[in-house]
Amino acid sequence: MNSAYLEQAFNKANKFIKKGDFEKAITIYDMVLEKFPKNFRASKAIKRICPQSTVNDQNYLVELYNKGQINEGILECEKLIQKHPHDHYLLNFLGIFYHASKRFDEAEYNYQKSLKINNKTASIWSNLSVTQHSLNQYKESIDSCKIALNLEPGNAKALNNLGHAYFAIKEYYKALDVLKKSISIEPGEFTTLNNLGNTYQKLSLYDEAIYYLDKALKINNQNHDILYNIASAYRDIGKFDLAINNYIKSVQLNSANVRNFTSLMELCFQIGLWGKFKAEFLNIIKLNNYKIHNYFYSIYNLIYSFTAKDFSQTEIELKKLNSFVNESEFLQIKEIKDKVFILAYFNLIKGMLDFFKINETEDGNNIEQIYHIGESHSLAFSHCSINRKNKTYKVEPRIIFGLKAWHLSQESESRFKSIFKENIKSVPNNSKLLISIGEIDCRKNEGIIHRHLKSGEDIDDIIQNTISGYLSFIRKYTNEKNLKPYFFSIPAPVSENTKNLQNNDKAQLSKLRISVVEKFNQALKVNIKNISGKYIDTHSITTNKNGSSNKEFMVDEIHLHPKIFNLIEDQII
């Protein structure tokens, strides 16, 4: 059947060619290739009757690309394609230009058109894989790389692209394997060196990460991605001066990149250097007028102002953010987690500000600081005080964004550990240390529950291993300074009434979370005795008979309201 169809099509095309009607002949060959993409006879016929672009044309396109004249390159490609509509080289180069201008859908379309004419060229498949990666089509990117490598096993770029795609899906050891092969072929390729270093960093192999990233920098010290990656590696091992230095360089080279700027601000904030760099952050925003940068600066400055008890500046930042969140640029932020971060802290501080303004008291002469370290929960008792006889104990927060007990339970270094240790350095010896860590571990969509559902590992084992490793880490650093640790329990979780839930899976998940919180608290309570810590019970005050929150002491669905502090202060002093 197929054979008859093809013969009929080729005979028809030949008749058009004899009459000189090449366009109709090409249309038939295109129809054949649409149905049978690998048909060599149709491809060969098109090449025979369609003149190809000249070497001079092709060299001119390369010249435009090397000069960064991307829009001119697109126009020149389109002009040449009108003369040579079946030239796979031109279609491939149009894809390259579209990719460079971040028009990824158009790039992919032209690569696919090029491959319909010539699917035997490894570089086109490799180029397509890069665009598919940019479109978050990681499986397709991997498949395209594999086709390229079947055609040309030693193609270093295809190997690098394959490693980059494996990295994107968190297959780090597979990424390492192919990236090492790529760098053995092209040892001076800074992109591959950067990818290698980045992959080693994700595996917490920091010596190797810094080795490869440093090699990449020696080849190209004007690449903001390499600078960002080496800064992140230095941050993770606690070399903060080097981290900040390289983050600043990455921002200077590409101030438009939100990731570079927010990483710099986030690190400075968490290690107590916000005040030192605040003016520099503002200068970057004023010079470039980037809206999204302003959103992040404002949320960090809101938290800073609030913790510094500068309530007038806190109100200014709240008003700014209130208008920001309705702007189109805010709604267009690509990363959902970034929007969640900004809105979460905005609503948290907005929900607590009135309480602290109403209950604001003058500081006495005899004051002792109590330090409160943790994630966002460490903000709940900012400025709360305990008065005993002639002495006032005031709570001062030390926040580490996104911190889980799991992060501290791991043997390998991480940014969470290095920032925790830096914060402990600033706490005076013999101080009282409040600790709010673990609530994120107990959420429905991450931590303990996520790991249990994904791996099938027993929940009790996950909790015990997490608590054991976490407390072992805490003990080391509290003992060194003779700190007295007080561990807050996880408050009862706010959840929907399971009777009203239509979806049985959601109802079961809600019940599972209640159970995980109770088990986590119990394991914490039992194990902290081994490190001379004290358990501060917030769960029994916040729970109802079903184990979920009674909502009497919550700012939002996650955070405790500071009014609960009066009920627990006797457990501290």
Side-chain angles (χ1 to χ4, degrees):
M1 193 76 171
N2 289 340
S3 177
Y5 165 81
L6 289 170
E7 281 306 314
Q8 187 178 6
F10 289 132
N11 287 336
K12 197 172 182 180
N14 285 333
K15 287 178 183 177
F16 283 124
I17 290 169
K18 286 177 183 178
K19 292 178 183 178
D21 197 341
F22 297 112
E23 284 301 316
K24 286 183 180 176
I26 289 167
T27 301
I28 291 171
Y29 291 135
D30 280 341
M31 288 169 61
V32 169
L33 288 170
E34 191 72 35
K35 197 166 184 180
F36 306 102
K38 296 182 179 180
N39 189 281
F40 178 73
R41 188 175 169 188
S43 298
K44 188 176 179 182
I46 288 173
K47 288 177 184 176
R48 188 177 66 249
I49 63 175
C50 292
Q52 303 294 293
S53 56
T54 67
V55 172
N56 286 339
D57 290 334
Q58 295 169 11
N59 287 340
Y60 181 55
L61 293 176
V62 172
E63 185 183 332
L64 289 174
Y65 182 82
N66 289 338
K67 288 180 178 178
Q69 296 176 323
I70 304 304
N71 290 331
E72 292 85 345
I74 290 171
L75 292 173
E76 185 65 22
C77 275
E78 288 174 340
K79 186 174 79 175
L80 289 168
I81 286 168
Q82 286 181 351
K83 291 184 190 176
H84 315 290
H86 289 84
D87 188 329
H88 74 273
Y89 182 94
L90 295 177
L91 291 164
N92 175 50
F93 229 109
L94 184 55
I96 291 169
F97 281 117
Y98 275 132
H99 182 93
S101 62
K102 300 190 185 302
R103 292 161 67 176
F104 300 126
D105 287 325
E106 291 160 288
E108 182 185 31
Y109 173 75
N110 281 282
Y111 288 138
Q112 297 284 14
K113 280 186 74 175
S114 178
L115 287 167
K116 281 181 182 177
I117 298 167
N118 176 7
N119 62 5
K120 299 295 183 185
T121 302
S123 61
I124 306 174
W125 285 107
S126 184
N127 291 341
L128 173 62
S129 77
V130 176
T131 295
Q132 288 168 328
H133 191 286
S134 297
L135 290 166
N136 299 327
Q137 299 171 0
Y138 303 123
K139 181 184 179 301
E140 292 83 352
S141 179
I142 289 167
D143 290 343
S144 294
C145 287
K146 287 180 177 178
I147 294 170
L149 291 165
N150 280 335
L151 292 166
E152 190 181 328
N155 188 306
K157 286 181 181 173
L159 284 163
N160 175 58
N161 296 341
L162 180 58
H164 196 36
Y166 279 136
F167 179 93
I169 60 171
K170 300 183 179 180
E171 294 273 8
Y172 299 128
Y173 286 105
K174 284 185 179 180
L176 273 187
D177 184 48
V178 291
L179 289 169
K180 284 178 181 176
K181 289 177 184 174
S182 178
I183 209 65
S184 70
I185 298 165
E186 289 188 8
E189 179 50 59
F190 72 86
T191 306
T192 309
L193 289 165
N194 179 46
N195 288 339
L196 258 174
N198 204 16
T199 306
Y200 275 118
Q201 188 217 349
K202 287 294 182 184
L203 292 167
S204 301
L205 297 168
Y206 294 108
D207 288 343
E208 293 90 339
I210 291 167
Y211 170 78
Y212 283 106
L213 291 168
D214 192 52
K215 282 188 79 170
L217 269 182
K218 284 174 181 171
I219 296 166
N220 184 353
N221 64 2
Q222 298 298 302
N223 184 287
H224 74 98
D225 278 325
I226 303 171
L227 287 160
Y228 170 85
N229 289 333
I230 201 165
S232 299
Y234 282 131
R235 174 203 60 194
D236 290 1
I237 60 174
K239 293 188 176 182
F240 298 119
D241 287 345
L242 287 169
I244 289 169
N245 240 359
N246 284 287
Y247 277 137
I248 288 171
K249 287 177 185 176
S250 73
V251 171
Q252 289 169 340
L253 284 171
N254 189 346
S255 58
N257 189 291
V258 179
R259 175 203 63 182
N260 299 350
F261 188 53
T262 54
S263 296
L264 172 62
M265 288 196 295
E266 182 184 86
L267 177 59
C268 290
F269 185 96
Q270 291 179 103
I271 62 173
L273 296 177
W274 182 262
K276 179 179 177 181
F277 287 94
K278 182 179 172 181
E280 191 165 341
F281 300 148
L282 277 172
N283 284 336
I284 292 167
I285 291 167
K286 286 175 184 174
L287 280 170
N288 299 287
N289 196 28
Y290 297 129
K291 281 276 189 181
I292 296 177
H293 291 50
N294 211 355
Y295 302 151
F296 281 101
Y297 171 83
S298 197
I299 199 66
Y300 288 123
N301 204 43
L302 170 68
I303 303 167
Y304 175 77
S305 303
F306 177 74
T307 56
K309 208 177 178 180
D310 184 350
F311 295 147
S312 60
Q313 186 62 42
T314 301
E315 288 184 321
I316 290 169
E317 296 298 346
L318 282 171
K319 284 178 184 176
K320 282 165 60 179
L321 284 158
N322 193 52
S323 81
F324 287 160
V325 296
N326 295 308
E327 292 179 348
S328 59
E329 289 91 342
F330 181 82
L331 300 173
Q332 289 166 13
I333 293 175
K334 290 181 181 179
E335 295 286 343
I336 293 173
K337 65 181 178 61
D338 290 340
K339 288 184 195 172
V340 169
F341 178 86
I342 292 170
L343 290 171
Y345 280 96
F346 168 72
N347 288 319
L348 172 61
I349 292 174
K350 183 181 176 184
M352 295 192 295
L353 183 60
D354 284 344
F355 174 87
F356 285 114
K357 284 172 66 181
I358 292 167
N359 293 278
E360 189 174 3
T361 57
E362 291 293 325
D363 292 342
N365 294 321
N366 191 10
I367 297 174
E368 182 178 322
Q369 296 298 132
I370 299 174
Y371 298 89
H372 188 183
I373 196 166
E375 16 76 343
S376 54
H377 293 270
S378 66
L379 296 180
F381 307 133
S382 304
H383 320 303
C384 285
S385 59
I386 304 171
N387 294 304
R388 291 291 183 271
K389 296 181 181 179
N390 296 320
K391 195 167 190 177
T392 300
Y393 299 87
K394 290 192 72 71
V395 179
E396 181 180 315
R398 291 281 192 275
I399 189 167
I400 303 169
F401 299 114
L403 177 63
K404 297 177 188 173
W406 181 83
H407 292 131
L408 302 184
S409 74
Q410 301 302 293
E411 289 186 11
S412 57
E413 289 300 315
S414 70
R415 73 177 190 267
F416 300 100
K417 282 187 169 184
S418 68
I419 292 169
F420 183 95
K421 289 185 276 190
E422 187 69 12
N423 275 280
I424 290 295
K425 282 182 192 176
S426 67
V427 175
N429 290 355
N430 308 310
S431 297
K432 296 179 187 296
L433 183 69
L434 309 180
I435 300 172
S436 287
I437 301 171
E439 185 274 323
I440 299 177
D441 296 85
C442 298
R443 292 182 188 175
K444 285 189 282 191
N445 58 343
E446 53 186 313
I448 295 161
I449 294 173
H450 176 75
R451 183 172 167 186
H452 163 70
L453 294 175
K454 186 176 179 180
S455 70
E457 192 175 343
D458 182 74
I459 280 180
D460 291 332
D461 289 342
I462 298 172
I463 291 173
Q464 185 55 46
N465 291 335
T466 300
I467 293 282
S468 176
Y470 156 55
L471 292 181
S472 177
F473 177 84
I474 295 285
R475 177 175 55 199
K476 179 181 177 183
Y477 293 97
T478 54
N479 283 356
E480 283 178 2
K481 305 195 77 173
N482 197 32
L483 304 177
K484 179 66 174 175
Y486 295 78
F487 294 84
F488 283 103
S489 69
I490 312 304
V494 173
S495 58
E496 298 172 75
N497 188 331
T498 55
K499 291 179 182 177
N500 298 331
L501 288 173
Q502 299 293 318
N503 187 319
N504 189 52
D505 288 342
K506 286 185 178 180
Q508 292 302 316
L509 195 58
S510 190
K511 288 178 180 177
L512 181 59
R513 186 183 178 205
I514 290 169
S515 171
V516 165
V517 168
E518 290 173 350
K519 288 181 176 184
F520 188 96
N521 283 336
Q522 183 58 31
L524 181 64
K525 187 175 182 180
V526 169
N527 283 273
I528 59 174
K529 294 173 184 175
N530 300 327
I531 67 166
S532 302
K534 189 169 182 183
Y535 179 79
I536 307 296
D537 182 13
T538 61
H539 186 270
S540 64
I541 306 170
T542 56
T543 188
N544 63 21
K545 62 181 181 180
N546 297 318
S548 59
S549 176
N550 56 28
K551 300 184 182 180
E552 291 179 26
F553 300 99
M554 305 300 287
V555 178
D556 52 33
E557 293 195 350
I558 293 173
H559 300 94
L560 288 168
H561 195 283
K563 67 184 178 183
I564 199 175
F565 192 72
N566 289 336
L567 302 179
I568 59 175
E569 63 179 41
D570 287 339
Q571 298 182 59
I572 301 168
I573 302 295

